[in-house]
Amino acid sequence: MKALWLENNKIELRDVPQPRKSGEVLVKVRKAGICSTDLELVKGYYPYTGVLGHEFVGEVVSLTPSPSPERRGELKVGDRIVGEINAACNQCEQCLNGRPTHCENRTVLGIINRDGTFAEYTTLPLANLHHVPASVPDEMAVFTEPLAAALEIQEQINIKPNDRVLLIGAGRLGQLIAQTLALTGCDLRVVARHARQQELLKRRGIRIVSEEEVQPWRWDIVVEATGSASGFSLARQAVRPRGTLVLKSTYKGEMNVNFSSIVVDEVNIIGSRCGPFEPALRLMESKQVDPTVLIDDEFSLGDALKAFGRAAELGALKVLIQR
Ligand SMILES: [Zn+2]
Ligand SMILES: [Zn+2]
């Protein structure tokens, strides 16, 4: 089958064997999305060799062995599904204590030791798969993984209607975070650099604030979604004493942070990564969130290299690859 292969900071289309993993579900990929992590993997920020891609919607080709009735017995061949990207061992201390996304032996779709979704087929354990409601089209379902990541913030912290919340960054993930934070009814402002990012937020009635207008020590909760040192520094200045700083992006290399000031101000720092799929699917089904406004372009798998070029353009949001 055709697949987009990453090796030594280079991506190329390759003919690779169709994946086969005993005990896992074979999935035909319908659409897959390019995310910032994919672009960073190509630049070599994390070592990975294999098929790239982790945001996808697909359909079940074969279930082997057939699932036990209590384990998602409703899944059958041909069903449209999305999949959680962390495959856990179910045996380590993290797994046994209900933290499967932190499994010590995990593989991660298209990121750690597991071929991903820029391919005709992929495989995942049955436990990772979620049924897509019929009213959620493919171009929406393909956003389930990043939307779930946005919702992880609300799994981790309590956001009250009176909270002043500042989101820094309105790119691929930032837009989804903004849409989900807006649903809490909090007093939300977003720092968005590009005109198109600002336009998308305004259309949903989400208020924008410029970097210069961000008042220091005023914000109850600050979400940093740029993954840049300057974004972190703005977030650090903005959060009030005993406020909460949520870090939603990874940072290249080491960060130079003044930790004494964080101690003195008693700031809570929360790292935030993968989130819950079912609520993400529900929010799209009920049309409370619309990620499709982020789509810039769509390419066929044969044009995956062009798709990556497009996704790397300044200000680009979501580029999809279809089978
Ligand atoms: Zn991603
Ligand atoms: Zn484990």
Side-chain angles (χ1 to χ4, degrees):
M1 65 165 190
K2 221 183 295 167
L4 188 71
W5 187 267
L6 171 67
E7 194 166 338
N8 298 328
N9 299 3
K10 274 186 106 153
I11 42 175
E12 61 174 19
L13 273 173
R14 272 197 192 175
D15 224 350
V16 301
Q18 183 173 305
R20 183 157 295 276
K21 272 207 177 106
S22 81
E24 297 201 355
V25 178
L26 180 64
V27 172
K28 185 205 250 181
V29 179
R30 291 166 70 103
K31 283 188 199 296
I34 301 176
C35 114
S36 305
T37 304
D38 298 314
L39 298 171
E40 286 176 14
L41 283 164
V42 175
K43 288 182 195 154
Y45 294 141
Y46 317 96
Y48 173 68
T49 297
V51 180
L52 263 186
H54 57 276
E55 299 178 1
F56 78 101
V57 54
E59 62 188 70
V60 175
V61 176
S62 66
L63 293 147
T64 41
S66 45
S68 56
E70 71 275 10
R71 276 298 324 140
R72 303 185 200 278
E74 79 277 12
L75 263 191
K76 53 188 188 311
V77 170
D79 280 354
R80 276 194 318 141
I81 49 90
V82 287
E84 295 188 44
I85 67 176
N86 300 282
C89 74
N90 300 316
Q91 284 166 6
C92 72
E93 185 173 324
Q94 308 307 326
C95 283
L96 294 177
N97 286 283
R99 297 184 289 267
T101 58
H102 292 276
C103 169
E104 292 161 27
N105 308 307
R106 70 183 181 271
T107 58
V108 186
L109 192 62
I111 298 174
I112 302 173
N113 291 331
R114 171 174 286 273
D115 282 334
T117 60
F118 298 137
E120 293 175 61
Y121 296 92
T122 193
T123 69
L124 272 175
L126 181 65
N128 286 50
L129 303 184
H130 297 260
H131 206 274
V132 177
S135 65
V136 176
D138 285 351
E139 60 268 28
M140 196 175 260
V142 72
F143 286 91
T144 309
E145 196 275 333
L147 183 57
L151 289 171
E152 177 70 358
I153 297 169
Q154 295 180 49
E155 287 282 335
Q156 293 173 298
I157 61 168
N158 194 1
I159 300 172
K160 297 188 281 297
N162 268 321
D163 281 340
R164 283 199 267 191
V165 179
L166 179 70
L167 166 63
I168 300 172
R172 295 175 178 94
L173 183 56
Q175 291 286 333
L176 301 177
I177 295 171
Q179 288 196 24
T180 51
L181 287 179
L183 296 175
T184 68
C186 69
D187 185 2
L188 172 67
R189 303 297 151 91
V190 182
V191 177
R193 279 201 172 154
H194 300 284
R196 173 141 173 271
Q197 297 175 347
Q198 296 176 355
E199 178 56 33
L200 290 177
L201 295 168
K202 280 185 199 154
R203 265 198 251 158
R204 295 190 76 88
I206 296 171
R207 296 166 75 175
I208 290 154
V209 63
S210 71
E211 279 170 59
E212 298 71 41
E213 287 165 343
V214 171
Q215 301 149 293
W217 291 304
R218 286 293 175 276
W219 304 82
D220 301 297
I221 296 163
V222 180
V223 178
E224 206 297 292
T226 68
S228 69
S230 62
F232 179 87
S233 141
L234 180 64
R236 170 64 199 98
Q237 288 161 34
V239 71
R240 67 160 166 80
R242 293 193 182 157
T244 299
L245 190 48
V246 180
L247 305 182
K248 206 57 231 189
S249 277
T250 54
Y251 299 89
K252 290 159 213 158
E254 307 278 310
M255 288 277 287
N256 191 3
V257 178
N258 180 342
F259 273 105
S260 296
S261 78
I262 287 167
V263 174
V264 171
D265 284 349
E266 300 185 322
V267 174
N268 301 299
I269 296 188
I270 312 269
S272 182
R273 180 166 47 89
C274 297
F277 269 46
E278 286 298 329
L281 287 162
R282 275 201 297 278
L283 284 180
M284 292 189 288
E285 189 180 19
S286 60
K287 311 230 168 358
Q288 294 183 78
V289 162
D290 180 11
T292 60
V293 295
L294 274 71
I295 299 172
D296 292 306
D297 233 325
E298 182 159 351
F299 294 83
S300 66
L301 182 57
D303 282 330
L305 293 176
K306 274 189 210 158
F308 264 71
R310 179 76 177 89
E313 285 174 15
L314 191 69
L317 291 172
K318 189 59 71 178
V319 175
L320 300 180
I321 293 176
Q322 62 163 335
R323 196 167 195 274

